[in-house]
Amino acid sequence: MIRIAPSILSANFAALGEEIRKVEEAGAHMLHVDVMDGHFVPNITIGPPVVRSVRKTTRLPLDVHLMISDPDKYIPAFIEAGSDMLTVHAEATVHLDRTLNFIRSQNAGVGVSINPATPLSAVHHVLGLVDMLLIMSVNPGFGGQPFIPYTVNKIRQARQIIEDHHYRCAIEVDGGIDIDTLPEVVQAGAEVLVAGSAIFHAPDPARKVKELLEIAARLGYHSV
Ligand code: DX5
Ligand code: ZN
């Protein structure tokens, strides 16, 4: 099933509860929360206190995307704040296997992400340990950037590896997703679609969520 994960990065933070309510009522499946530290990526966003407040305002699962160096240090705080799924970048931790097992030991969903220029081989061996592989389709750091087309091939390759090994790992794609780019990523095998500016900068965010869901439902990836 295709799932839509609105990224609150592009929402109005002064009215976050209201923004979340709109996408939740429209049928979004989870909320994508972008955490940036000004070190791993050239931007700073939010930390555990905001996750804790968001947790109280929605029933949607919180898909927390850690774009931070040395994630192990902060994993317990983000889980304690109410994250359902924690995704770390393969580029941000030296001992990736240990980091992923650490998240698992804290009873949260486990995700691993790679930047556009990082080859799939960086995560091939850990795909059996994770619930989600997040393939970045922009360089992380900012909302509203254009989709990088060569990442579609990585989605296709990842789908093949996951099916060949019967891994239970969903493919998530993040960056530049809107009605024009959604079809190719879904057809390549992505199942969880993050969209920030497309949803929250739209005149009617709820309507945009429904539009993305309708297009995705018509296209759904069919494994062979
Ligand atoms: C980028 C973040 C994304 C961002 C996507 O570093 O990881 O989640 O919100 O924004 P859009 O959908 O505008 O490309
Ligand atoms: Zn993200």
Side-chain angles (χ1 to χ4, degrees), residues 1 7 19 21 70 88 113 115 141 204 212:
M1 188 183 84
S7 161
E19 294 273 74
R21 194 187 56 74
D70 202 2
V88 295
S113 182
N115 288 332
D204 182 347
L212 293 171

Side-chain angles (χ1 to χ4, degrees), residues 7 32 34 65 67 134 136 174 194:
S7 161
H32 185 82
D34 288 305
H65 179 190
M67 288 161 276
L134 169 50
M136 291 304 301
D174 183 7
V194 177

Side-chain angles (χ1 to χ4, degrees), residues 71-72 75 88 93 95-104:
D72 297 51
I75 285 165
V88 295
T93 174
H95 305 289
L96 180 60
D97 177 279
R98 176 182 288 150
T99 303
L100 298 174
N101 279 305
F102 182 45
I103 299 172
R104 181 72 71 203

